[in-house]
Amino acid sequence: DTAVSQTPKYLVTQMGNDKSIKCEQNLGHDTMYWYKQDSKKFLKIMFSYNNKELIINETVPNRFSPKSPDKAHLNLHINSLELGDSAVYFCASSQENYGYTFGSGTRLTVV
Amino acid sequence: AQSVTQLDSQVPVFEEAPVELRCNYSSSVSVYLFWYVQYPNQGLQLLLKYLSGSTLVKGINGFEAEFNKSQTSFHLRKPSVHISDTAEYFCAVRPSNFNKFYFGSGTKLNVKP
């Protein structure tokens, strides 16, 4: 039983395309997140949702749009992909101060 | 504002030797502290956390960390490492008044035979 699952695991696409990454958690957590990990392994928060409500929206291009249809799902849609969007995107969930549970990541490569 | 500094980007060590991975933080409020491990091509896994109480925290895989409030540090230690401990290790802090985690830049632990 995977606690936080992301799909797809790998995504290769051309510049200018639109793509989505899906995330689902079965832990009953209230809060979900999207993080971007760059080539130097630096982790940067992008968005956070609590019970379907956006609570953290860092300085991210508005080509990135999160959507949370319910508290178990947080999807990330990216419009007009650019080379600099290439990274590993991690979904995570948490409940209060118990720490994050991470998904296994989506490696996005824009060519 | 919060920040997390991992002083070593890479730590090479021989198998069965002890290791310490350093983490310092700054925060204007009290914090909760965490260490995560990332194996190649995988997500991050929680190693241990400090919320309150005893400043020495034990985690999985034989790791432990000590919270030092005066030095604002949360260093990770293991008395004897294995080849399988080779991974990237991330220190993270969460302010007590807001559910947002701040990660350090990571330390790559390379255990050699």
Side-chain angles (χ1 to χ4, degrees), chain B residues 29-88:
Chain B
V29 300
S30 60
V31 296
Y32 305 124
L33 297 151
F34 303 81
W35 274 98
Y36 286 85
V37 59
Q38 185 179 27
Y39 298 105
N41 298 315
Q42 293 188 27
L44 281 78
Q45 179 183 357
L46 181 66
L47 268 181
L48 49 78
K49 61 186 176 185
Y50 171 79
L51 303 180
S52 65
S54 172
T55 56
L56 183 62
V57 179
K58 293 189 184 298
I60 62 171
N61 301 341
F63 284 93
E64 63 180 33
E66 185 152 23
F67 170 52
N68 188 319
K69 189 174 181 180
S70 62
Q71 296 186 5
T72 59
S73 68
F74 191 54
H75 300 332
L76 181 71
R77 301 187 188 100
K78 186 168 181 177
S80 175
V81 294
H82 301 126
I83 297 285
S84 59
D85 292 324
T86 294
E88 191 95 22

Side-chain angles (χ1 to χ4, degrees), chain B residues 2-15:
Chain B
Q2 284 74 33
S3 69
V4 183
T5 303
Q6 290 184 243
L7 297 163
D8 306 299
S9 59
Q10 294 194 54
V11 173
V13 64
F14 286 106
E15 196 174 17

Side-chain angles (χ1 to χ4, degrees), chain A residues 7-40:
Chain A
T7 54
K9 191 170 175 64
Y10 298 97
L11 185 53
V12 181
T13 187
Q14 290 187 328
M15 283 175 55
N17 284 351
D18 303 339
K19 290 293 178 184
S20 292
I21 308 171
K22 296 186 176 182
C23 179
E24 176 181 3
Q25 55 99 359
N26 62 5
L27 297 165
H29 288 171
D30 289 332
T31 309
M32 295 185 72
Y33 310 79
W34 279 110
Y35 274 81
K36 178 180 179 181
Q37 187 176 45
D38 62 24
S39 58
K40 294 183 179 178

Side-chain angles (χ1 to χ4, degrees), chain A residues 30-70:
Chain A
D30 289 332
T31 309
M32 295 185 72
Y33 310 79
W34 279 110
Y35 274 81
K36 178 180 179 181
Q37 187 176 45
D38 62 24
S39 58
K40 294 183 179 178
K41 301 289 187 181
F42 183 68
L43 277 157
K44 180 179 163 62
I45 191 168
M46 301 172 70
F47 303 103
S48 170
Y49 270 75
N50 183 277
N51 273 324
K52 302 193 296 177
E53 182 182 348
L54 181 66
I55 56 172
I56 295 175
N57 185 355
E58 295 291 296
T59 307
V60 175
N62 57 15
R63 298 182 294 104
F64 289 79
S65 54
K67 284 187 173 52
S68 182
D70 55 61

